[in-house]
Amino acid sequence: MSVQLESRIGPVLDITRSAARDVDVSGRFPSEAVTALRASGLLGLTLPTEAGGLGAGPQDLVDVVSGLAGACGSTAMIYLMHVSASMSIAAAPPADLPELLPALASGKWLASLALSEAGSRSHFWAPVSQGQADQGGVRLKARKSWVTSAGHADVYVASTLTPDAQTVDLWALPATLPGIAVTGEWHGMGLRGNASAPMMFETVVPEGNRLGAIGGGFGLMLETVMPWFNLGNAAVSVGLSEAAVSAAVRHTSAARLEHLGESLSALPTIRAQLAKMSIELACTKAYLAQTAGRLAEPADDTVLHVLGVKAAANDAALHITDSAMRVCGGAAFSEHLQIDRYFRDARAGHVMAPTADILYDFYGKAITGQPLF
Ligand SMILES: Cc1cc2nc3c(=O)[nH]c(=O)nc-3n(C[C@H](O)[C@H](O)[C@H](O)COP(=O)(O)OP(=O)(O)OC[C@H]3O[C@@H](n4cnc5c(N)ncnc54)[C@H](O)[C@@H]3O)c2cc1C
């Protein structure tokens, strides 16, 4: 990580880390961490410098997101949703909202993605809600089942079927529009501060709030949102895995079996588990770095990396955090080591769309020459 980024993220990590436990226990939005992120300039990390962003690349995103996840998984996912939504806006800025990109880059506005619907579940590419032509623009009625930062974001990027139902549009919907409401509560086993509640978007928007040309949403979701989201989601998994390995090594090295005069880490079974965790983490980090490189300089296998890295990192995080629970025994179960938080938070990435299992299916299709859809 560059010195410039380190000086930006250092103070954010201090605030994020000290709030993390309370955020998890009380299931509250990490407002202090998000305020620190807004002030740090990191909300504009990957946005173009012409819009006021930092113009940083995929590896910088990996470093920032994995660092945040090691401090607080909820904050890291809120940040990633902002970046994923912002990158789609940067790729196809809505004509009527020229002030939007600079507001996202400066940290004035927090963004999120509203893609998932109860009707199509984790098949995020297939909204069932549909826009209807209306005199004043397009009438939207989209019931979204999970929206990270629901009620806290300043703008939502939401998907609908086009009025002719042939393909998908993405819309930039400022939170101040009438007809936008949080319609339920968020209670998750992990990422408990994420505010990933259901929302209703029932509003008429000008055509100029659409990202790009009519029907461009499908391409944006697959070519812009998915690469950045999958990379960042894998980085969340790696950050949580890294925190779990460190905590497990620390605890098993310090915990004593006084009657034997040795530490837990002196037991061969424990040492072997720690070794497996550490090796799986190293392999996943290498794959993640390679994928960041493929996004910075696209190659023939970039798509395979985009599909594979999230699935691999999500699965690694499940194994690693599970092993951390195991080697730390009742001490991990009793919460004070915070390993249970990493374990619970790590389960979210796996089921977030595109889910790990869907990605394995896509990857299998890709290497056997079958169309993804
Ligand atoms: C913490 C959290 C935050 C979220 N934030 C957002 C957000 O900000 N915005 C947003 O739009 N959504 C968000 N989501 C929703 C998320 O992206 C998924 O849509 C949601 O988790 C899917 O849950 P489901 O029960 O509908 O899954 P289902 O679709 O019912 O899947 C159930 C199981 O079936 C498997 N499966 C389904 N289809 C296939 C297939 N074709 N091949 C192989 N396996 C398959 C899945 O992998 C999964 O294991 C969030 C979810 C979580 C947990």
Side-chain angles (χ1 to χ4, degrees), residues 51 89 93-106 108-109 174 176 209:
I89 289 168
D96 281 4
L97 302 171
E99 74 291 354
L100 179 54
L101 207 49
L104 295 168
S106 69
K108 188 173 164 209
W109 276 27
T176 47
N209 278 43

Side-chain angles (χ1 to χ4, degrees), residues 81 112-116 121-123 146-148 186 191 194 196 348 351-353 355 357-358 361:
M81 284 303 176
S112 188
L113 280 176
L115 305 184
S116 303
R121 310 190 69 87
S122 59
H123 297 194
W146 316 64
V147 184
T148 293
W186 165 245
L191 297 191
N194 237 47
S196 299
V351 299
M352 289 182 79
T355 68
D357 285 332
I358 287 179
D361 185 44

Side-chain angles (χ1 to χ4, degrees), residues 237-246 275-287 316 320:
S237 287
V238 161
L240 291 167
S241 302
E242 220 158 17
V245 171
S246 302
K276 284 184 193 171
M277 292 158 63
S278 181
I279 293 165
E280 190 167 9
L281 173 60
C283 292
T284 311
K285 280 175 82 170
Y287 190 24
I320 291 169

Side-chain angles (χ1 to χ4, degrees), residues 82-284:
H82 168 85
V83 171
S84 305
S86 300
M87 292 309 282
S88 64
I89 289 168
D96 281 4
L97 302 171
E99 74 291 354
L100 179 54
L101 207 49
L104 295 168
S106 69
K108 188 173 164 209
W109 276 27
L110 179 73
S112 188
L113 280 176
L115 305 184
S116 303
E117 298 188 2
S120 47
R121 310 190 69 87
S122 59
H123 297 194
F124 72 92
W125 58 88
V128 293
S129 64
Q130 192 177 352
Q132 303 289 346
D134 189 277
Q135 277 183 340
V138 177
R139 175 172 294 280
L140 307 181
K141 186 173 181 185
R143 196 185 296 277
K144 296 294 178 178
S145 44
W146 316 64
V147 184
T148 293
S149 305
H152 298 274
D154 303 291
V155 63
Y156 301 92
V157 171
S159 55
T160 58
L161 282 173
T162 48
D164 65 5
Q166 293 302 305
T167 182
V168 179
D169 282 328
L170 289 185
W171 301 94
L173 303 176
T176 47
L177 284 177
I180 294 186
V182 178
T183 51
E185 292 183 353
W186 165 245
H187 297 288
M189 73 172 275
L191 297 191
R192 290 174 42 73
N194 237 47
S196 299
M199 290 187 74
M200 177 61 132
F201 297 85
E202 192 167 11
T203 187
V204 176
V205 282
E207 294 264 355
N209 278 43
R210 190 177 49 234
L211 273 58
I214 188 162
F218 189 77
L220 277 172
M221 286 192 292
L222 292 191
E223 288 154 25
T224 304
V225 175
M226 193 166 78
W228 287 101
F229 176 74
N230 281 14
L231 183 81
N233 190 287
V236 172
S237 287
V238 161
L240 291 167
S241 302
E242 220 158 17
V245 171
S246 302
V249 167
R250 225 173 17 248
H251 175 72
T252 54
S253 303
R256 302 291 298 165
L257 295 163
E258 287 181 14
H259 59 299
L260 300 177
E262 60 187 29
S263 66
L264 274 178
S265 63
L267 299 173
T269 348
I270 300 278
R271 283 201 301 260
Q273 289 273 3
L274 292 172
K276 284 184 193 171
M277 292 158 63
S278 181
I279 293 165
E280 190 167 9
L281 173 60
C283 292
T284 311

